[in-house]
Amino acid sequence: MPEALDSPFDAGPALARLGFRRYAARVELPDTVSSGIVGRVRRVDRGEVDVVTADGELRVVSDSQRAQSAFAPATGDWVVVVDDLDVGWRIETVLPRAAALVRRDPSEREIDQVLVANVDLVGVVAGVDRPPNVARVERFLVLAEDSGADPVVVLTKTDLGLGAEWETALEQIADLTVLHTSAVSGSGLDELHRLIADDHTLVLLGESGAGKSTLVNALLDDEVQATKEVRAGDSKGRHTTTAREMLTVSGGGVLIDTPGIRGVGLWNAEPAVAAVFADVTDMADSCRFSDCRHVSEPDCAVKAAVEAGTIDARRLQRYLRLRAELDDQAVRLEQQRRRPQGRRR
Ligand SMILES: Nc1nc2c(ncn2[C@@H]2O[C@H](COP(=O)(O)OP(=O)(O)OP(=O)(O)O)[C@@H](O)[C@H]2O)c(=O)[nH]1
Ligand SMILES: [Mg+2]
Ligand SMILES: [Zn+2]
């Protein structure tokens, strides 16, 4: 008979394999929870949530009120579930998040949409069968930086022999870890296994057809996730994966596969943008004006660095574009705050 547990957080090896120990070291767990079962959200499907616990998986209801709030459970969340007499298994608590990938709600309401929670690593996935898109990588890097997880760029399909162009394009971004992988030849898979060993959680983000699910299957050594060939003409994907889904690697580590996205709206991410563009922001310290916009101001160290060739002109443009987008968001947010209450839902 299993020992009576003092607290639902006295987790054994089964939860450790799902990443619980690594997670618990990063947050302060509430001391008000005394009953229920700890589990991790594998998948969210409208009102229903699949939660993996030490004793297997539970289909759990998440009441709609909670689903509207900032604490709607997301894939990767740690939760406490209780057996409710009326509704069956129910999420009692969404535990504090150690990290969260947040995007602007697509419906334009200024509400956080948590894509995934409690990841240690964000894999920005790009297929080398498509032309390099540095702006997109930078945007995903901002999202990763903002989440509190460590980014890594995962180039896929390198068996096609087209990785060099990407490699060169990404050289502009300092201190970036770039992995070259191929699900066909198996190259780079060991490196990925090493990265997620010791129960790290890695989420894979990237556009449709980039090869995220194929990579997941290669790492699991099993055809768990459906995959589909890209369009012949332009290598575009077909949105094969439709939900964010967590999978456990038998050799260690947790993966989260996601539906293809081409980009994410960002807001409140100024520090993350500054970090991803540290080459630009470091240089900006030497501009004459502390609020220099690096456009036409005199004694602008950033413009000087562009002229000297230390900063790529297009990289500066991309930085300025992201900054403008964030400023624009901030203005809209402020306008929304000033609107009479009640008009906001
Ligand atoms: N040559 C080659 N093809 C690959 C590799 N990885 C994936 N592909 C192909 O790329 C296509 C798209 O792969 P998926 O894994 O479905 O892409 P995805 O990123 O999951 O796409 P969505 O689920 O739509 O977001 C499939 O035809 C794969 O066979 C690889 O390493 N080498
Ligand atoms: Mg997929
Ligand atoms: Zn300047």
Side-chain angles (χ1 to χ4, degrees):
M1 204 181 93
E3 263 175 68
L5 296 177
D6 291 331
S7 144
F9 302 136
D10 293 336
L15 288 189
R17 268 197 300 281
L18 289 169
F20 189 73
R21 285 190 189 141
R22 183 166 290 282
Y23 158 76
R26 293 176 70 187
V27 296
E28 198 159 321
L29 291 169
D31 50 18
T32 50
V33 180
S34 57
S35 63
I37 299 177
V38 171
R40 192 164 191 197
V41 174
R42 187 177 68 76
R43 185 188 159 114
V44 179
D45 192 4
R46 294 195 178 81
E48 290 186 316
V49 182
D50 292 322
V51 175
V52 191
T53 73
D55 299 317
E57 188 163 314
L58 299 171
R59 174 56 66 98
V60 169
V61 296
S62 155
D63 58 88
S64 57
Q65 190 139 33
R66 190 189 297 279
Q68 294 301 317
S69 80
F71 279 98
T75 296
D77 260 326
W78 285 99
V79 295
V80 177
V81 296
V82 291
D83 198 359
D84 189 300
L85 283 178
D86 294 327
V87 296
W89 289 104
R90 175 174 64 78
I91 292 180
E92 170 102 324
T93 314
V94 176
L95 293 170
R97 286 173 178 145
L101 286 180
V102 178
R103 76 166 167 193
R104 214 175 65 221
D105 189 282
S107 66
E108 277 300 311
R109 282 181 298 142
E110 302 279 356
I111 292 178
D112 288 4
Q113 186 191 18
V114 176
L115 296 174
V116 294
N118 302 321
V119 294
D120 304 292
L121 298 158
V122 175
V124 180
V125 182
V128 298
D129 55 336
R130 306 212 60 196
N133 187 331
V134 184
R136 184 177 296 157
V137 171
E138 285 166 344
R139 184 175 282 268
F140 280 126
L141 291 177
V142 171
L143 186 74
E145 180 72 35
D146 189 53
S147 77
D150 293 328
V152 49
V153 171
V154 183
L155 297 179
T156 58
K157 317 191 193 185
T158 55
D159 53 282
L160 300 175
L162 306 164
E165 214 189 331
W166 272 91
E167 181 80 49
T168 312
L170 294 175
E171 270 166 11
Q172 294 170 29
I173 310 174
D175 302 326
L176 187 64
T177 307
V178 182
L179 297 185
H180 292 247
T181 71
S182 164
V184 170
S185 75
S187 81
L189 296 184
D190 284 349
E191 255 174 300
L192 266 174
H193 273 299
R194 272 197 298 277
L195 204 64
I196 60 173
D198 303 324
D199 313 316
H200 283 88
T201 301
L202 165 70
V203 63
L204 299 177
L205 296 181
E207 70 176 324
S208 180
K212 301 176 293 297
S213 300
T214 306
L215 198 59
V216 165
N217 288 341
L219 290 165
L220 296 174
D221 202 14
D222 199 357
E223 296 293 315
V224 177
Q225 292 294 85
T227 62
K228 211 181 271 174
E229 74 286 356
V230 295
R231 282 196 324 222
D234 55 9
S235 302
K236 286 204 173 162
R238 298 159 191 266
H239 293 281
T240 310
T241 305
T242 55
R244 298 180 278 274
E245 194 141 355
M246 185 181 82
L247 305 112
T248 318
V249 183
S250 54
V254 179
L255 299 172
I256 299 179
D257 191 11
T258 65
I261 44 172
R262 306 183 65 187
V264 279
L266 301 170
W267 58 301
N268 264 346
E270 283 83 358
V273 170
V276 171
F277 289 87
D279 51 338
V280 178
T281 49
D282 286 352
M283 196 61 76
D285 290 342
S286 307
C287 293
R288 188 206 297 183
F289 301 111
S290 60
D291 61 349
C292 184
R293 290 170 306 123
H294 325 305
V295 180
S296 54
E297 290 84 348
D299 294 332
C300 171
V302 174
K303 298 275 300 176
V306 169
E307 270 148 42
T310 16
I311 292 176
D312 186 279
R314 281 163 303 174
R315 180 157 160 86
L316 175 60
Q317 288 310 317
R318 294 192 301 268
Y319 167 74
L320 293 176
R321 206 188 322 149
L322 279 177
R323 283 282 307 266
E325 183 180 322
L326 290 179
D327 289 349
D328 197 53
Q329 283 302 328
V331 169
R332 275 205 268 168
L333 194 61
E334 189 52 37
Q335 283 169 346
Q336 206 162 40
R337 281 208 188 99
R338 286 205 200 131
R339 251 178 245 159
Q341 288 294 315
R343 281 196 58 191
R344 286 189 67 190
R345 286 207 289 150

